[in-house]
């Protein structure tokens, strides 16, 4: 048997049959691997797995193990093959009557990943939801309300999906929304440059019998290709109104709203319900299952019995749950099982394959009558040229590492200049405001608590913005999918899916949306495992800590140190994945089936908008959780203000002030200088004693024995505790604790911190080994509260959140301890 795995690069073959598990056959068939389709072998990934193929005008990657399940034949052997195009039947020829006008309309956006669905949603609603050139950007329903032509239109942007067969949680979410929420109009956004692939979802919407409008997006790219679509004829064949759109340029948005109103009012000339003709035997089986459904006394007519019949013939478990309310449900399931067996015996093929073949046959037939294709595909040629380098055998992986190194170098080096300006401004402002307020608690709260805490974190805003600029470029250009393609072999070795690497990379920005993005993973075991290792990816909230400590202790190599931390996070996640895969998660992996979208040049507007949205989130944190945390930390570090030692220091200061006044009359400069020096020393001791005696100091001394073996003092300990709320608060806590000098930056304060007591008296607290251990601890230990909540929500159980807290903190202590002991030999 000749399989797709056996075919050399640069060869073209034709699909003959798909083997393997039922779920794999269904998924791969829906992606276009059906009998008679030509497949071109593009190239191998840098580690020779997966392999990139082109089918139906788009690129897709499969592992060798999956390619071995696809039987192929030569183009000569397939010369006599014809598509199963049976046309349509049961056209709805009822006389159109204008519906009574509604005041509200529910609209749902559906479409394949990378079709531009969210871009159009943003155009219509004025929102700025994140868009990216890879699957999984929209991982939840985005909702908005707008007023248009006396209508209140409720718009829902659903996650991108290739089909309504629920292979992953986001696909199930889309299907359930359509079945349960009953939108008045479904706007099906399709990539007009790849209609054959995108229209598969449209055929399922036709079967579902919901009012559909086809948004033919990326019209400009279709025109560049030289292809032309006869939309009038296409609408006649499918019964679906069409609108040309360009989501990135807001073209067609107004027409979509007008068309939605026409569909609701039943005034569009092309709108009518059709049935795809699945052939004599399939139609007989569909009709028999429908009759069984109709016999139920409690059957709700608002659901399409034809759609349910098709899904039952495909043996879909979720559909069985959907019809479980029928009083004759067992009889319906029995009829469906009988018809499945009859079809397999008669046609020697599984019903899933027959239905998929018929849908693609309908699409191919409809496009044959309406689409004129250009022989030259300029965009794909450009994509292939770029891919030869970015995913090449010898260049792909080094370029990925180089791009990460450049990203972190630029984040530190370029961000350092504006960060220094902000730092100087904060120090100047704190000093100026401090002079206007009388000494006392209010003065200390504003200068030390607010300026020291919030200002210490605000400094790193430019670095955060630069980091998200690079992440935005990776997402919007389509390189993110290539990273998954490059890394799949390595991910496969640790028992994970290549698509898991996309949420991991997203974790560099923020762990919370990265955890939500795991919904695109089909295998629950892979999804859980990916969720548990995402917190080891350094989110942007940790970046201020890295920049502060690395900039202060490793000023010449700070960018490289930060790059090493991010790579260390990846290594820790890999080790954790191997450990968990061998102990807890032993389930089989899902197949690696992933589309590789064409490269697209991101618009400056979308990039700036993405950066600005992240900057706003950061600034909101400044005025919210970080401000309040800084005030709380200041209060805990400021009170109580008295004890025996503190009272003694205060008495000494009073005496010294009197002595200085007395000596000022004699103008004895030597004596005055010595008294002022003594005054400074006692003030310093007083500040240390007050912090040591404070509520925060007591808490710090309580946890200090646990962290002392790593080389951390109590101030580092309480900063780590406060970082559980949000990692930026580590910096704000240090800012409050080290805010004794209004003219000194936090970085300078850290450089000068020394032990005042014990055997280490006079030695620097932030030595290079201790600083490295501190950075590693921040990298690994318990994530912030928002991440813990996301883990609980996505896994559905607290045990996984508690497991992550315990495992991460224990691992952080062990690795930080090791680093503190071996680092002196290298730094």
């Amino acid at each position: 048997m000749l399989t797709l795995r056996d075919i050399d690069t640069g060869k073209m073959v034709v699909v003959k049959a798909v083997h393997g598990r039922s779920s794999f056959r269904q998924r791969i068939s829906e992606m276009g691997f059906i009998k008679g389709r030509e497949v071109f072998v593009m190239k191998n990934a840098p580690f020779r797995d997966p392999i990139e193929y082109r089918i139906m005008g788009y690129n897709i990657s499969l592992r060798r193990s999956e390619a071995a399940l696809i039987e192929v034949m030569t183009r000569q052997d397939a010369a006599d093959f014809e598509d199963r195009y049976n046309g349509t039947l049961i056209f709805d020829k009822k006389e159109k009557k204008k519906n009574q006008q509604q005041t509200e309309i529910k609209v749902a956006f559906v479409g394949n990943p990378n079709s531009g669905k969210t871009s159009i949603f943003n155009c219509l609603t004025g929102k700025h939801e994140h868009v990216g050139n890879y699957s999984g950007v929209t991982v939840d329903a985005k909702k908005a309300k707008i007023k248009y032509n006396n209508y209140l239109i409720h718009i829902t942007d659903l996650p991108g999906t290739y089909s309504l067969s629920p292979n992953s949680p986001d696909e199930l979410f889309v299907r359930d929304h359509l079945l349960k929420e009953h939108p008045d109009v479904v706007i099906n956004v399709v990539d007009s440059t790849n209609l054959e692939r995108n229209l598969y979802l449209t055929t399922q919407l036709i079967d579902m019998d919901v009012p559909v409008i086809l948004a033919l997006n990326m019209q400009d790219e279709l025109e560049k290709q030289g292809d032309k679509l006869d939309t009038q004829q296409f609408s006649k064949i499918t019964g679906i109104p069409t609108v040309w759109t360009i989501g990135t340029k807001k073209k067609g948005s107004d027409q979509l709203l007008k068309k939605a109103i026409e569909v609701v009012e039943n005034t569009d000339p092309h709108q009518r319900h059709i049935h795809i003709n699945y052939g004599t035997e399939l139609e007989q089986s569909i009709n028999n299952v429908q009759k069984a459904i109709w016999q139920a006394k409690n059957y709700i007519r608002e659901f399409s019995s034809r759609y349910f019949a098709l899904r039952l013939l495909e043996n879909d478990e979720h559909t069985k749950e959907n019809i479980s309310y029928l009083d004759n449900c067992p009889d319906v399931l029995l009829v469906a099982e009988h018809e499945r067996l009859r079809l397999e015996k008669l046609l020697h093929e599984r019903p899933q394959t027959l239905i998929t073949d018929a849908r693609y046959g309908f699409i191919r037939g409809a496009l044959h009558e309406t689409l004129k294709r250009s022989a030259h595909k300029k965009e794909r040629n450009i994509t292939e040229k770029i891919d030869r380098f970015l995913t090449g055998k010898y260049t792909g992986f080094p370029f990925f590492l180089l791009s990460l190194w450049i990203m972190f170098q630029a984040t530190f080096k370029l961000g350092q200049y504006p960060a220094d300006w902000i730092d100087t401004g904060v120090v100047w402002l704190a000093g100026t405001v401090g002079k206007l307020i009388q000494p006392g608690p209010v003065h200390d709260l504003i200068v030390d608590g607010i300026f020291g805490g919030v200002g210490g974190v605000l400094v790193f805003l430019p670095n955060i913005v630069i980091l998200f600029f690079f992440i935005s470029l990776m997402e919007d250009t389509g390189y993110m999918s290539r990273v998954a393609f490059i890394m799949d072999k390595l991910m496969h070795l640790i028992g994970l899916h290549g698509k898991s690497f996309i949420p991991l990379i997203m974790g560099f920005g923020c762990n919370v949306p990265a955890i939500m993005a795991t919904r695109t993973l089909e295998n629950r075991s892979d999804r859980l495992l990916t969720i548990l290792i995402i917190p080891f990816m350094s989110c942007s909230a940790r970046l201020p800590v890295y920049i502060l400590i690395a900039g202060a202790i490793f000023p010449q190599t700070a960018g490289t140190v930060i790059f090493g931390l991010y790579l260390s996070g990846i290594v820790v996640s890999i080790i954790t994945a191997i450990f968990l895969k061998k102990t807890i998660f032993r389930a089989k992996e899902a197949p690696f089936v992933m589309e590789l979208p064409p490269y697209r040049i991101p618009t400056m507007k979308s990039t700036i908008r993405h950066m600005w949205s992240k900057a706003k989130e950061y600034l909101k944190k400044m005025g919210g959780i970080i401000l309040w945390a800084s005030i709380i930390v200041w209060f805990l570090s400021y009170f109580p203000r008295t004890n025996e030692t503190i009272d003694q220091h205060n008495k000494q200061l009073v005496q010294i002030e009197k002595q200085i006044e007395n000596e000022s009359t004699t103008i004895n400069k030597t004596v005055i200088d010595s008294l002022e020096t003594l005054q400074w020393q006692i003030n310093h001791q007083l500040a240390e004693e007050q912090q040591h005696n404070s509520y925060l100091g007591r808490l710090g001394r309580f946890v200090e024995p646990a962290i002392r073996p790593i080389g951390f003092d109590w101030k580092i300990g309480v900063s780590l505790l406060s970082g559980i709320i949000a990692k930026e608060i580590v910096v704000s806590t240090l800012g409050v604790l080290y805010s004794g000098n209004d003219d000194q930056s936090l970085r300078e304060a850290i450089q000068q911190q020394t032990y005042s007591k014990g055997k280490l008296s006079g030695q620097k607290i932030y030595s290079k080994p201790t600083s490295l251990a501190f950075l590693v601890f921040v990298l690994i230990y318990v994530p912030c509260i928002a991440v813990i909540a996301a883990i609980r929500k996505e896994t559905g159980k607290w045990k996984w959140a508690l497991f992550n807290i315990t495992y991460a903190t224990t691992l952080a202590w062990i690795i930080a301890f090791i680093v503190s002991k071996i680092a002196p030999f290298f730094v």
Side-chain angles (χ1 to χ4, degrees):
M1 181 179 72
L2 185 67
T3 70
L4 194 56
R5 185 178 62 177
D6 304 321
I7 308 303
D8 295 330
T9 300
K11 300 293 184 181
M12 177 84 77
V13 289
V14 178
V15 177
K16 184 177 182 180
V18 177
H19 306 285
R21 299 194 307 272
S22 176
S23 59
F24 170 74
R25 292 195 305 271
Q26 181 171 337
R27 166 56 79 190
I28 204 72
S29 297
E30 290 174 345
M31 297 296 285
F33 286 85
I34 59 174
K35 186 174 181 180
R37 287 298 180 270
E38 292 182 338
V39 185
F40 182 74
V41 185
M42 300 286 292
K43 64 177 176 297
N44 292 280
F47 299 105
R48 291 192 52 77
D49 208 8
I51 306 173
E52 183 179 353
Y53 300 97
R54 185 194 296 155
I55 185 169
M56 290 189 179
Y58 76 104
N59 293 8
I60 187 172
S61 59
L62 301 173
R63 287 183 185 144
R64 291 179 175 274
S65 55
E66 277 100 48
L69 299 174
I70 301 174
E71 187 178 356
V72 296
M73 52 186 168
T74 64
R75 299 173 78 180
Q76 292 79 11
D77 293 338
D80 297 330
F81 177 81
E82 293 183 4
D83 281 309
R84 299 175 183 175
Y85 177 48
N86 301 303
T88 59
L89 45 80
I90 319 178
F91 281 84
D92 187 359
K93 296 183 179 180
K94 295 179 182 179
E95 182 182 351
K96 283 185 173 287
K97 294 182 179 180
K98 186 173 180 178
N99 291 333
Q100 185 177 356
Q101 192 176 47
Q102 301 173 216
T103 57
E104 297 187 13
I105 300 175
K106 291 191 295 184
V107 175
F109 274 82
V110 300
N112 285 190
N114 313 311
S115 61
K117 174 174 52 64
T118 302
S119 294
I120 297 177
F121 173 81
N122 287 340
C123 290
L124 289 174
T125 63
K127 288 185 174 290
H128 305 303
E129 299 295 346
H130 178 50
V131 297
N133 191 16
Y134 65 99
S135 64
V137 180
T138 306
V139 292
D140 205 347
K142 306 292 192 302
K143 298 183 178 182
K145 292 186 287 186
I146 61 172
K147 288 186 177 180
Y148 187 83
N149 286 1
N150 299 321
Y151 281 95
L152 179 62
I153 303 179
H154 301 263
I155 304 178
T156 303
D157 178 28
L158 296 171
T161 177
Y162 292 107
S163 80
L164 297 178
S165 303
N167 293 289
S168 61
D170 56 329
E171 292 180 351
L172 179 61
F173 181 87
V174 173
R175 195 179 78 169
D176 283 349
H177 181 91
L178 296 179
L179 288 174
K180 295 176 182 178
E181 298 298 324
H182 306 293
D184 299 302
V185 181
V186 174
I187 295 181
N188 180 200
V189 181
V190 300
D191 177 357
S192 60
T193 65
N194 190 7
L195 287 170
E196 187 172 8
R197 173 69 198 87
N198 278 242
L199 288 173
Y200 185 85
L201 177 60
T202 310
T203 61
Q204 292 181 312
L205 294 172
I206 290 173
D207 290 330
M208 192 175 274
D209 191 16
V210 293
V212 179
I213 298 172
L214 207 63
L216 298 165
N217 200 28
M218 306 180 195
Q219 180 188 7
D220 51 342
E221 295 185 20
L222 182 75
E223 291 172 351
K224 285 181 183 178
Q225 290 183 179
D227 294 351
K228 294 182 179 179
L229 178 70
D230 184 346
T231 54
Q232 296 289 324
Q233 182 64 18
F234 183 85
S235 293
K236 286 181 181 178
I237 294 172
T238 61
I240 299 175
T242 59
V243 175
W244 287 108
T245 61
I246 305 176
T248 57
K249 299 178 181 178
K250 297 187 177 181
K251 181 177 179 181
S253 302
D254 197 57
Q255 288 86 337
L256 269 180
L257 294 176
K258 290 179 180 177
K259 189 63 69 175
I261 292 173
E262 289 179 7
V263 168
V264 170
E265 293 180 347
N266 207 14
T267 59
D268 183 271
H270 296 115
Q271 179 195 1
R272 65 185 181 280
H273 178 55
I274 66 166
H275 287 175
I276 297 171
N277 189 343
Y278 287 100
T280 305
E281 297 301 333
L282 258 176
E283 287 295 337
Q284 180 182 327
S285 294
I286 293 169
N287 190 44
N288 289 341
V289 177
Q290 278 185 285
K291 287 179 179 177
I293 293 174
W294 293 335
Q295 288 174 4
K297 296 177 181 178
N298 60 340
Y299 170 57
I300 303 173
R301 296 282 174 178
E302 60 188 5
F303 295 119
S304 169
S305 61
R306 182 176 175 85
Y307 172 75
F308 282 147
L310 284 163
R311 298 302 295 143
L312 289 172
L313 290 174
E314 292 177 310
N315 201 26
D316 178 60
E317 294 297 328
H318 292 284
T319 300
K320 293 177 183 178
E321 294 176 10
N322 288 336
I323 67 163
S324 59
Y325 76 94
L326 296 178
D327 53 21
N328 69 336
C329 181
D331 295 335
V332 173
L333 296 179
L334 193 64
V335 172
E337 177 66 18
H338 172 76
E339 292 300 327
R340 281 199 302 272
L341 295 174
R342 185 185 73 85
L343 289 171
E344 288 186 23
K345 184 176 180 181
L346 183 65
L347 302 177
H348 309 291
E349 194 67 85
R350 299 176 184 87
Q352 297 99 313
T353 303
L354 295 171
I355 292 169
T356 302
D357 285 355
R359 284 173 177 157
Y360 272 118
F362 170 76
I363 293 168
R364 202 170 180 92
L367 292 178
H368 180 74
E369 297 183 26
T370 58
L371 181 65
K372 291 184 179 179
R373 299 182 185 274
S374 170
H376 183 59
K377 299 293 182 184
K378 182 179 178 181
E379 183 186 84
R380 278 295 176 189
N381 290 339
I382 294 173
T383 293
E384 290 166 18
K385 290 177 181 178
I386 297 173
D387 267 351
R388 286 172 194 165
F389 178 76
L390 297 189
T391 61
K393 181 177 180 181
Y394 301 107
T395 57
F397 191 70
F399 179 82
F400 169 60
L401 292 179
L402 178 63
S403 64
L404 288 182
W405 183 81
I406 291 173
M407 178 170 71
F408 298 123
Q409 284 288 342
T411 297
F412 181 78
K413 296 290 186 183
L414 295 181
Q416 190 61 47
Y417 298 103
D420 285 342
W421 301 336
I422 295 174
D423 194 13
T424 302
V426 169
V427 171
W428 174 83
L429 189 59
T432 303
V433 172
K435 292 175 183 177
L436 300 176
I437 305 173
Q438 292 293 325
V442 175
H443 171 279
D444 295 342
L445 169 62
I446 294 174
V447 175
D448 299 338
I450 296 177
F451 280 104
V454 177
V457 182
L458 181 63
V459 165
F460 303 104
L461 176 61
N463 306 95
I464 299 294
V465 170
I466 292 172
L467 174 67
F468 276 104
F469 168 76
F470 281 96
I471 293 177
S472 178
L473 285 183
M474 292 177 67
E475 293 176 344
D476 295 347
T477 57
Y479 183 59
M480 192 74 86
S481 296
R482 269 69 185 185
V483 170
F485 175 72
I486 292 168
M487 294 299 297
D488 179 66
K489 179 68 174 181
L490 295 179
M491 300 297 285
H492 186 53
L493 292 176
I494 65 173
L496 267 178
H497 198 288
K499 284 165 71 174
S500 294
F501 203 72
I502 292 179
L504 293 180
I505 291 294
M506 289 176 66
F508 286 163
C510 180
N511 289 169
V512 174
I515 288 171
M516 294 174 67
T518 59
R519 295 177 190 176
T520 61
L521 301 176
E522 298 164 16
N523 184 289
R524 175 170 171 78
S525 175
D526 284 352
R527 195 159 58 249
L528 281 172
L529 181 51
T530 305
I531 286 171
L532 292 177
I533 66 175
I534 281 174
F536 298 122
M537 309 303 287
S538 285
C539 63
S540 60
R542 294 180 176 102
L543 188 60
V545 186
Y546 298 163
I547 294 173
L548 173 65
I549 304 300
I553 310 302
F554 307 96
Q556 303 302 320
T557 57
T560 303
V561 169
I562 295 171
F563 173 65
L565 286 168
Y566 277 79
L567 282 186
S568 299
I570 295 174
V571 171
V572 171
S573 68
I574 289 172
I575 294 172
T576 299
I578 294 172
F579 168 70
L580 295 179
K581 197 71 177 180
K582 291 183 179 297
T583 55
I584 301 175
F585 303 101
R586 295 171 179 259
K588 291 184 178 180
E589 306 151 357
F592 181 74
V593 182
M594 190 182 71
E595 181 181 358
L596 297 176
Y599 289 105
R600 294 193 169 93
I601 300 174
T603 63
M604 184 58 68
K605 183 178 180 180
S606 66
T607 302
I608 291 175
R609 181 178 289 166
H610 187 203
M611 293 164 61
W612 172 238
S613 69
K614 297 303 178 183
K616 283 198 301 183
E617 288 178 15
Y618 195 71
L619 291 172
K620 284 180 180 178
K621 272 190 175 183
M622 299 298 102
I625 187 172
I626 291 174
L627 172 62
W628 286 107
S630 298
I631 293 173
I632 292 170
V633 168
W634 173 85
F635 179 86
L636 293 176
S637 67
Y638 195 78
F639 295 102
R641 301 292 290 171
T642 60
N643 69 7
E644 187 176 332
T645 305
I646 292 173
D647 292 342
Q648 184 179 350
H649 283 317
N650 283 324
K651 289 177 181 179
Q652 287 177 318
L653 287 173
V654 171
Q655 292 174 356
I656 291 172
E657 286 178 5
K658 289 180 179 179
Q659 287 180 296
I660 291 174
E661 288 179 8
N662 294 333
E663 292 296 334
S664 63
T665 59
T666 64
I667 320 179
N668 191 335
K669 191 172 184 308
T670 303
V671 175
I672 292 174
D673 286 345
S674 64
L675 287 172
E676 287 180 344
T677 301
L678 180 61
Q679 184 184 43
W680 181 89
Q681 291 174 344
I682 294 175
N683 270 319
H684 181 72
Q685 292 172 3
L686 177 63
E688 284 286 330
E689 183 61 32
Q690 284 175 337
Q691 281 194 344
H692 196 262
N693 182 59
S694 68
Y695 299 121
L696 199 64
R698 296 171 188 178
L699 175 63
R701 293 199 307 276
F702 176 76
V703 300
E704 190 174 29
I707 58 176
R708 175 60 71 182
I710 313 175
F712 299 168
D713 71 342
W714 70 266
K715 293 182 181 180
I716 293 177
V718 294
S719 72
L720 292 172
L721 286 176
S722 64
I724 296 173
I725 301 171
K727 289 297 176 281
E728 296 97 337
I729 299 178
V730 172
V731 173
S732 66
T733 301
L734 294 175
V736 172
L737 293 173
Y738 299 145
S739 58
N741 190 339
D742 293 346
D743 298 323
Q744 187 182 58
S745 70
L746 178 55
R747 183 174 295 177
E748 292 170 339
I750 283 174
Q751 291 171 338
Q752 297 172 13
Q753 289 301 305
T754 58
Y755 289 100
S756 58
K757 299 178 182 178
K759 296 179 181 180
L760 299 176
S761 179
Q763 295 185 26
K764 288 188 177 295
I765 294 176
Y766 290 90
S767 63
K768 288 186 176 181
T770 301
S771 298
L772 282 177
F774 181 35
L775 291 171
V776 169
F777 198 96
V778 172
L779 164 71
I780 301 172
Y781 89 118
V782 56
C784 68
I785 291 175
V787 175
I788 294 298
I791 293 174
R792 160 65 182 85
K793 180 182 178 183
E794 295 302 315
T795 61
K797 294 181 179 179
W798 270 111
K799 74 173 185 178
W800 296 117
L802 295 174
F803 170 81
N804 184 269
I805 293 171
T806 306
Y807 175 80
T809 305
T810 304
L811 186 65
W813 194 98
I814 293 171
I815 296 180
F817 177 80
I818 294 171
V819 168
S820 69
K821 299 307 177 186
I822 65 173
F825 298 103
F826 301 98
V827 296

